[in-house]
Amino acid sequence: MGIENTPLAKGGVETLIVLAFMALNLAGSERVGKAEFFIVLIKLTILCVFVVLGLSSVNPDWVKPQLDSVHLQQTLNGTAVFFLAYMGFGLVTNASEHMKDPQRNVPKAIYLSIFIVSVVYVFVSVVAVGNLSIPDMVKAEDFALAEAAKPFLGH
């Protein structure tokens, strides 16, 4: 964006972002819902581009399942994290008063959401783990997907 990376500039940008979302929130729930739809659409588009471009450069040895006791324990740990992440799907019920036929549509919305998120999680994980070794992923921390994208998107 052409802004020098200083603490003051960082704080200013963060403040502007918070103020923008606060103004959006004050504009009402209908506008928040529309904005949220487009924000999620943008995020899903980015993840789909990541998956489509990244599948061709996956290292099969890095995504091959290992069924020893250590890896099974790590899989169970990962499952627990996913379970906690999926608990948020209960929030769909908060919108039930605005839905037509909530008795029928709330369960559909929850199941469809869980299915879509599961597919996205699995494909993003395969591309990330298949393009970046686990030690490098841990080292990259919050930028793991950006590091995993380097083999197929460059620097």
Side-chain angles (χ1 to χ4, degrees):
M1 293 177 56
I3 300 172
E4 189 177 341
N5 189 7
T6 65
L8 181 62
K10 184 178 177 182
V13 169
E14 290 170 351
T15 301
L16 287 174
I17 291 170
V18 169
L19 289 173
F21 279 102
M22 186 178 80
L24 178 64
N25 201 20
L26 291 172
S29 62
E30 186 176 327
R31 288 205 179 160
V32 170
K34 287 179 183 178
E36 186 175 21
F37 171 80
F38 288 108
I39 291 168
V40 170
L41 186 65
I42 291 167
K43 289 193 284 187
L44 282 175
T45 301
I46 292 168
L47 290 175
C48 285
V49 168
F50 175 81
V51 168
V52 168
L53 296 178
L55 279 174
S56 63
S57 61
V58 166
N59 181 341
D61 291 334
W62 290 353
V63 294
K64 183 173 55 176
Q66 296 181 10
L67 301 176
D68 58 73
S69 63
V70 171
H71 288 93
L72 286 175
Q73 179 62 43
Q74 291 172 345
T75 300
L76 288 175
N77 292 344
T79 303
V81 170
F82 281 136
F83 174 76
L84 293 173
Y86 282 92
M87 288 175 61
F89 287 102
L91 295 175
V92 171
T93 60
N94 293 347
S96 63
E97 64 190 38
H98 302 291
M99 287 184 186
K100 294 177 184 172
D101 193 11
Q103 295 290 349
R104 185 173 148 250
N105 289 328
V106 168
K108 279 184 178 181
I110 291 173
Y111 290 130
L112 184 61
S113 298
I114 290 172
F115 174 76
I116 292 169
V117 169
S118 297
V119 169
V120 171
Y121 271 15
V122 168
F123 277 104
V124 168
S125 297
V126 165
V127 171
V129 172
N131 281 287
L132 189 65
S133 69
I134 298 298
D136 288 338
M137 192 173 293
V138 170
K139 186 174 144 190
E141 292 182 358
D142 293 336
F143 305 101
L145 291 184
E147 288 295 318
K150 281 184 179 178
F152 56 92
L153 290 178
H155 192 67

